Amino acid sequence: MKLGFALGLVGLVKSACLSTGNQDTVNQLLQQGGADTVVSLCPGATVSITDSIVFTAPGQEVSTQGYPTDNTRASIIILPGSAVSAAIRGNWQDHVKVLNIQIDGNRPNAGLYTGPGADALLELGGGTTGQTVSHVVAKNTRSWSCMHFIGSGQDDNPCRNANITFNTIGPCGDEGHDADGNALWADGMSIECVTSTVTDNTITGPTDGGIVIFGAPGSHFLRNTITSSSTALGFGAINMVDPSYDGNYSNVVVADNIITGVAPGLFNLGIGIGSQVWSNPHAEPNFGPATVTNNVFRGAIGFSIVVNGWAGGLTATGNDVSGVHAPSADTADASRCGAQQQASFDASQQLIVYAPGVAGPSNIQSEFVRIPNNGSNWLCLTHPLPTQQSYAPQTLFVTAQQSTVVDLRGFHVQFQGDGNLVGYDTTGGVWTPRWATSTSSAACGEDGASCLLAWGGDGNFVLYDADGPFYDSGTSGRGVELTFFNVAPWVTVTDAGGEVIWSIE
Ligand SMILES: *[C@@H]1O[C@H](CO)[C@@H](O)[C@H](O)[C@H]1NC(C)=O
Ligand SMILES: *[C@@H]1O[C@H](CO)[C@@H](O)[C@H](O)[C@H]1NC(C)=O
Ligand SMILES: *[C@@H]1O[C@H](CO)[C@@H](O)[C@H](O)[C@H]1NC(C)=O
């Protein structure tokens, strides 16, 4: 049913479309129209919202009139100052459709949203069948994903038969944390629906997973193009690591996808397969039979495919890593990784399997390197790290709660909750202390927040606790540069003439 809302005369107004409005305009049409209502936005229209657009009955659709695929697609944008991150919600409504529109979470202007209901930019799924998102642009989520199809939690009524095709997704999220410690990263798509079709999507600049497959037995992920941010780290391009459906990935197919890391951005992992691969390893293996074939990997990717913690069958053939940049050390750093991960990284290995961690039949292409040790958590890479790092006065303040002072190649400096400042050599995945201030404090607070390392405006390098300074370089009024090194001397303060006036050797 097309809705002739301009005159309220259904059928008479053939080409009515909504040329402006907000969530209330759209929600009224959906509520009044009932099942199968199509809200048709005019080409070029912008709908600015401060709350979610919500599908209220089966078969409803929001789309641009004429179904254009270019930038005349109507836009839905979240306004700054609003307490919402989900632009569209369509949970538990069969056959709803979001077609040929652009959805902008507006994170650069509206900011990260961590309040109540901090959900993905598009929230679909639940106990439903046949939902479609196609030819949609979705970017700048304020929350953890640009598109989430959630499961239902009901064995006999799973989210199923979703159709997610020809969408243009990203950027989604940013790298790292904000000043309050909130994670800034976000998925491109997070998919928990079974027997679904996720094909021909273009996902650019995801910072968590590009396509996160939450089990989703029977779903096919084909011909998607997943490209990293050109500046930021993305954790993974396609994830088969989460234990949804108790780890059931039966008849999941991941084929013909193109995964590209664009330096100085990168993907830490191309495709992660199994329960031991992500940063939250879990004991029970994920299981297939699953198929991961003919995917192409290019550019700045730390590890293209890692398999560990799998059972029930895996076919991984025809995957092409010939276009991945080598050596890996040009585009990433493994100083924060475990021993096996560092060894694989140093050898620029791209197709990696821990064979004892794979049970059941498998057909794995011969290029896979059989690693000798049980490497868990491959999500450990960073951008390439320097061998030394310098700071002008007033530019370095770190609490013992924040802990990390600086990461250097093969080296980590941390300010600990016991008031000690320690430099660790991380070579080989074993943290060996090389130097320390050997200070201690009982006044750092429960979480370390009361201890502060400060390289202040006066050029003095000081450690404070709740009671005041307890260590300093004695360079007030003279220090102009503080430098940390990954070889001795480990720390120096230099004066205006470049002379070292204080150091830790
Ligand atoms: C998916 O949705 C598109 C757009 O509506 C449609 O053309 C296509 O036939 C659908 N595919 C399936 C498998 O339902
Ligand atoms: C995995 O999922 C498939 C498809 O839903 C189902 O047939 C199979 O029984 C499941 N396997 C297990 C062990 O639960
Ligand atoms: C690998 O290590 C993980 C975590 O320590 C463990 O759960 C798993 O069983 C190990 N795999 C094998 C094959 O021993």
Side-chain angles (χ1 to χ4, degrees), residues 334-339 342 403-404 406-407 410-414 416 422-434:
S335 297
R336 302 295 300 264
C337 295
Q342 288 198 15
S403 180
T404 296
V406 62
D407 278 311
F411 210 82
H412 175 76
V413 179
Q414 66 184 25
Q416 300 176 168
V422 188
Y424 290 95
D425 187 329
T426 62
T427 309
V430 179
W431 286 25
T432 310
R434 292 284 183 230

Side-chain angles (χ1 to χ4, degrees), residues 45-393:
T46 298
V47 174
S48 301
I49 62 172
T50 56
D51 204 350
S52 305
I53 290 169
V54 183
F55 289 112
T56 56
Q60 294 185 332
E61 172 182 319
V62 174
S63 55
T64 303
Q65 187 180 55
Y67 303 102
T69 55
D70 59 11
N71 62 12
T72 65
R73 279 175 285 188
S75 297
I76 295 174
I77 184 164
I78 294 178
L79 287 176
S82 50
V84 67
S85 56
I88 297 185
R89 293 182 182 274
N91 300 112
W92 295 82
Q93 299 294 349
D94 289 348
H95 299 294
V96 294
K97 294 188 174 73
V98 183
L99 304 176
N100 303 76
I101 60 171
Q102 308 187 61
I103 306 168
D104 189 350
N106 204 12
R107 183 192 284 218
N109 302 301
L112 182 75
Y113 178 65
T114 58
D119 295 326
L121 183 59
L122 274 97
E123 276 290 344
L124 291 137
T128 65
T129 186
Q131 297 189 331
T132 298
V133 178
S134 193
H135 293 288
V136 164
V137 175
K139 61 184 178 185
N140 299 326
T141 178
R142 300 181 68 189
S143 185
W144 66 278
S145 178
C146 276
M147 182 187 297
H148 182 206
F149 275 74
I150 198 171
S152 67
Q154 300 177 350
D155 289 346
D156 56 350
N157 182 31
C159 178
R160 57 202 182 276
N161 307 331
N163 175 357
I164 304 164
T165 54
F166 295 104
N167 300 293
T168 304
I169 308 296
C172 305
D174 298 291
E175 183 174 341
H177 296 86
D178 69 10
D180 298 324
N182 298 302
L184 294 174
W185 51 80
D187 293 342
M189 297 178 171
S190 322
I191 309 294
E192 200 175 342
C193 301
V194 309
T195 55
S196 294
T197 302
V198 182
T199 57
D200 303 294
N201 300 289
T202 300
I203 302 167
T204 307
T207 42
D208 193 344
I211 300 177
V212 176
I213 306 174
F214 288 114
S219 290
H220 291 187
F221 301 83
L222 315 176
R223 299 182 306 277
N224 301 290
T225 300
I226 308 171
T227 305
S228 79
S229 160
S230 59
T231 53
L233 168 76
F235 291 145
I238 301 182
N239 294 12
M240 302 170 70
V241 297
D242 286 283
S244 315
Y245 298 96
D246 296 323
N248 190 343
Y249 288 75
S250 296
N251 301 315
V252 165
V253 180
V254 174
D256 302 307
N257 300 287
I258 299 176
I259 295 170
T260 307
V262 180
L266 72 147
F267 281 126
N268 182 146
L269 275 160
I271 304 179
I273 304 175
S275 62
Q276 295 298 323
V277 176
W278 207 248
S279 56
N280 57 341
H282 40 279
E284 290 302 313
N286 296 344
F287 61 94
T291 302
V292 178
T293 52
N294 302 324
N295 300 288
V296 176
F297 301 81
R298 302 194 285 226
I301 301 175
F303 306 112
S304 289
I305 303 182
V306 180
V307 188
N308 188 2
W310 193 264
L314 178 66
T315 299
T317 56
N319 299 291
D320 177 4
V321 296
S322 62
V324 176
H325 184 94
S328 298
D330 285 350
T331 57
D333 189 289
S335 297
R336 302 295 300 264
C337 295
Q340 178 59 57
Q341 292 83 339
Q342 288 198 15
S344 290
F345 182 85
D346 291 346
S348 295
Q349 294 168 359
Q350 287 297 323
L351 299 173
I352 297 164
V353 60
Y354 180 57
V358 181
S362 65
N363 176 10
I364 294 181
Q365 71 196 82
S366 58
E367 291 101 316
F368 269 84
V369 177
R370 266 87 181 147
I371 52 172
N373 302 305
N374 183 1
S376 289
N377 182 7
W378 293 76
L379 201 70
C380 54
L381 300 180
T382 65
H383 291 283
L385 295 172
T387 58
Q388 64 184 73
Q389 181 78 47
S390 295
Y391 299 88

Side-chain angles (χ1 to χ4, degrees), residues 29-46:
L29 294 169
L30 293 170
Q31 283 160 19
Q32 289 165 7
D36 301 323
T37 298
V38 176
V39 174
S40 193
L41 308 178
C42 298
T46 298

